[in-house]
Amino acid sequence: MEKTFLMVKPDGVQRNLIGEIVTRFEKKGFSLAGAKLMQISDELAQNHYGEHKERPFFGELVDFITSGPVFAMVWEGENVIATARNMMGKTNPADAASGTIRGDYAVQVGQNIIHGSDSPESAEREIALFFNEEELVSYEKTISKWI
Ligand code: RTP
Ligand code: MG
C-alpha cells in the first residue's frame, strides 16, 4: 500500500493543530503507520529540503523548520501521496482553497503548517530520512472494506 511522509511544522505544533491535522487524515480513511514529536537538527533540515538549496529562501526555511518541535508522520492508503497534497492545499496559503489545511489555517508561505511528500520518490526518501523500519507499523483495519 502507498505511503507518504507528512509533518506538522513548528507553527502547527505551537498553534495546537496536531490533533486537528491527524483527525483530517483519519476521517478521510487513511491509516497512520508511524508518528513522533521531534526536534529537527540543522543537518536533517538541510538534507530534507536539499532540493531548495539554491533558492533565496533556503536559509529561512531551515531556520523555520528547526525553530521548534515538529510532528513527523507516515500515512498509508490508496493514492495517499497525491490525496494528502490536495488536502494540504497550495504551497502559498493565499492560493490554497478553503477546506484545505493551508487554506483554513495559514496565512504566510513561510509558515504553512504542514509538509507532505510530493512524489513516490520523495515519499520513499523522506520516510527513510525520518523513520527507522522498527518505528513503522503495518496493520489491517477491519473498517478497510468500507473505504
Ligand atoms: P513542503 O515541501 O513544505 O511540503 O511545501 P511544498 O512542497 O508545498 O513547497 P516547496 O516548493 O517544496 O517549498 C518548501 C517550503 O518552502 C517555503 N517556501 N517559501 N518565500 C517563498 O517564496 C517560498 N517558497 C516556498 C514554503 O514554506 C514551502 O512549504
Ligand atoms: Mg515540497
Side-chain angles (χ1 to χ4, degrees):
M1 190 60 85
E2 188 170 283
K3 288 189 179 70
T4 196
F5 175 69
L6 303 179
M7 171 168 69
V8 182
K9 296 183 181 184
D11 53 336
V13 174
Q14 291 297 325
R15 291 177 53 199
N16 301 319
L17 290 171
I18 294 174
E20 165 67 25
I21 289 168
V22 168
T23 297
R24 285 184 179 222
F25 292 102
E26 275 194 316
K27 285 189 173 172
K28 175 70 176 170
F30 293 130
S31 292
L32 190 60
K36 58 186 171 187
L37 187 73
M38 60 182 284
Q39 172 66 47
I40 299 186
S41 67
D42 199 61
E43 188 187 0
L44 178 57
Q46 304 229 11
N47 198 341
H48 172 66
Y49 278 130
E51 65 173 318
H52 299 305
K53 199 171 281 182
E54 307 305 328
R55 308 280 281 277
F57 56 81
F58 183 68
E60 278 174 35
L61 188 56
V62 169
D63 286 350
F64 169 62
I65 209 69
T66 58
S67 66
V70 300
F71 192 65
M73 301 167 280
V74 174
W75 285 88
E76 195 171 79
E78 200 172 312
N79 291 320
V80 67
I81 299 172
T83 305
R85 292 282 295 188
N86 284 337
M87 290 170 67
M88 288 161 52
K90 295 251 172 71
T91 305
N92 188 340
D95 303 326
S98 292
T100 66
I101 293 165
R102 288 165 170 169
D104 287 351
Y105 298 118
V107 173
Q108 300 179 52
V109 68
Q111 296 184 182
N112 58 6
I113 302 284
I114 183 166
H115 164 82
S117 306
D118 60 10
S119 66
E121 295 71 34
S122 26
E124 195 179 336
R125 189 181 83 86
E126 292 167 0
I127 290 169
L129 211 48
F130 282 84
F131 287 90
N132 297 320
E133 290 274 334
E134 316 84 69
E135 291 175 309
L136 301 180
V137 183
S138 212
Y139 56 103
E140 276 293 314
K141 277 184 178 160
T142 50
I143 198 177
S144 292
K145 66 175 178 175
W146 302 107
I147 291 168

